Amino acid sequence: MFLQKIAQSSHFSVSFIIPLMLILALLVVVDQASFLSMVGEYGLDIPAYDETSTESETSSVIQPSAQEIMLHSVYGINTYGRKNIVDIVGVALPYLFLVFAGGLLLTVMTEPGSRFLYVIRHRTYTKWLLRNLTRIVLWLVALWTLFYAATGVFSLLLSDNRDGLGPIFYHLNAAASHDASFHQVIVSQYVLGCLVCLMIAASQFMLSVVLKDASKGYIYLNAAILFCVFIGIFDIYNPLMMSKHNSLNLRIGASPFVTGAVLLGLAILCTVLNKECLRRKGL
């Protein structure tokens, strides 16, 4: 019921989520930049070579690169980094915002007095389902893209270092291949995030129809997201995090391509089940 109250409030608009996503991106990047700077200052003992000297000296401060800051801001929980409540919440919040945005749209689409008008306008439940599911997916992907782009911009603003993945990254990602590509990981995580948006929209739509309540679907999906993020503190496979794939953790053999296929398959399954439930029981 609380989603319905928020959706019907004259003081609230779904567009309000946009500045919240920007603020969240800034907070995540600032937190990661601070942590990586602390690691570069106190956590490493890396020799620095002076061109005018034949002896090596120990570098006391290593500035994290913009690429390292962005990567640590979006790729999930690192097995060798922090695993506290701040990291769990920081990884979960973007997805929780996406679930919240999807829940508000679903509440409006299925509210009494208008849902049957929507179905009549599209003539069949299938057309109504696909049209509105597409609308939700595009909205969630747009929010995810905004968050992702904002982390990149804020990372560039917070660091003058543009040298890519360096000592700090390999210190915190000891199981990563030294051939790891920043661009490959960033693109893979973005694509996985878009597929997660599809999965969120399809599963939340299905739960809302099956349970006849968008708020219940919102609660159950939030619980699933929080559980997935929480188990990220362990060195096991996690579909939400590139840090738990073989690109960044050679001890975990999962490929992001396999994860993408699984997410896509689950989203299609949820859509088919949703269609069957609508055909048999309606709204």
Side-chain angles (χ1 to χ4, degrees):
M1 294 299 292
F2 66 93
L3 278 180
Q4 187 174 3
K5 291 181 180 179
I6 295 175
Q8 293 176 345
S9 174
S10 59
H11 302 290
F12 185 84
S13 171
V14 176
S15 60
F16 287 173
I17 299 177
I18 293 176
L20 292 178
M21 292 294 281
L22 292 174
I23 293 172
L24 174 62
L26 177 61
L27 292 177
V28 169
V29 170
V30 169
D31 175 64
Q32 289 298 328
S34 176
F35 170 67
L36 295 179
S37 296
M38 183 179 64
V39 172
E41 184 174 0
Y42 301 109
L44 300 177
D45 186 21
I46 301 172
Y49 294 93
D50 187 344
E51 296 180 354
T52 62
S53 175
T54 57
E55 297 182 357
S56 64
E57 300 175 351
T58 301
S59 175
S60 58
V61 177
I62 298 176
Q63 181 186 18
S65 68
Q67 291 91 335
E68 289 173 326
I69 294 173
M70 182 181 181
L71 198 62
H72 282 82
S73 297
V74 299
Y75 80 162
I77 297 175
N78 178 15
T79 305
Y80 299 94
R82 295 181 310 178
K83 301 177 184 177
N84 56 32
I85 189 64
V86 174
D87 295 281
I88 295 174
V89 172
V91 173
L93 273 179
Y95 297 112
L96 297 183
F97 271 122
L98 293 175
V99 176
F100 179 64
L104 287 178
L105 286 179
L106 277 171
T107 300
V108 173
M109 292 173 185
T110 59
E111 65 182 355
S114 62
R115 57 190 179 188
F116 297 108
L117 178 62
Y118 292 148
V119 174
I120 292 172
R121 183 182 302 166
H122 295 95
R123 297 185 181 180
T124 66
Y125 278 123
T126 300
K127 290 183 179 179
W128 176 82
L129 169 63
L130 294 178
R131 185 179 181 89
N132 287 289
L133 180 60
T134 301
R135 178 185 170 191
I136 296 174
V137 170
L138 291 177
W139 172 234
L140 297 188
V141 169
L143 288 176
W144 172 249
T145 303
L146 175 68
F147 172 79
Y148 216 73
T151 58
V153 172
F154 293 142
S155 298
L156 289 172
L157 293 176
L158 288 176
S159 177
D160 297 327
N161 184 352
R162 306 285 192 272
D163 294 337
L165 305 181
I168 296 177
F169 170 79
Y170 288 108
H171 176 75
L172 293 174
N173 297 271
S177 167
H178 283 271
D179 296 326
S181 167
F182 165 77
H183 296 94
Q184 180 182 359
V185 174
I186 283 295
V187 171
S188 297
Q189 180 65 75
Y190 173 74
V191 172
L192 286 185
C194 290
L195 290 173
V196 170
C197 290
L198 175 60
M199 179 62 192
I200 287 174
S203 59
Q204 193 170 12
F205 213 141
M206 182 192 69
L207 290 172
S208 298
V209 170
V210 171
L211 300 174
K212 304 286 186 179
D213 189 341
S215 294
K216 290 181 180 178
Y218 168 78
I219 292 172
Y220 291 149
L221 195 53
N222 272 341
I225 292 291
L226 286 172
F227 174 76
C228 264
V229 174
F230 175 76
I231 64 174
I233 65 177
F234 304 105
D235 194 22
I236 58 176
Y237 169 72
N238 195 304
L240 299 182
M241 306 177 186
M242 274 299 296
S243 59
K244 306 300 181 180
H245 287 75
N246 57 12
S247 301
L248 291 174
N249 193 330
L250 296 175
R251 296 186 302 185
I252 299 177
S255 165
F257 294 103
V258 173
T259 299
V262 170
L263 290 173
L264 182 60
L266 289 176
I268 293 174
L269 176 62
C270 289
T271 303
V272 172
L273 293 176
N274 198 356
K275 176 185 174 182
E276 289 299 312
C277 185
L278 280 171
R279 187 175 64 84
R280 294 182 181 182
K281 299 181 180 180
L283 288 170

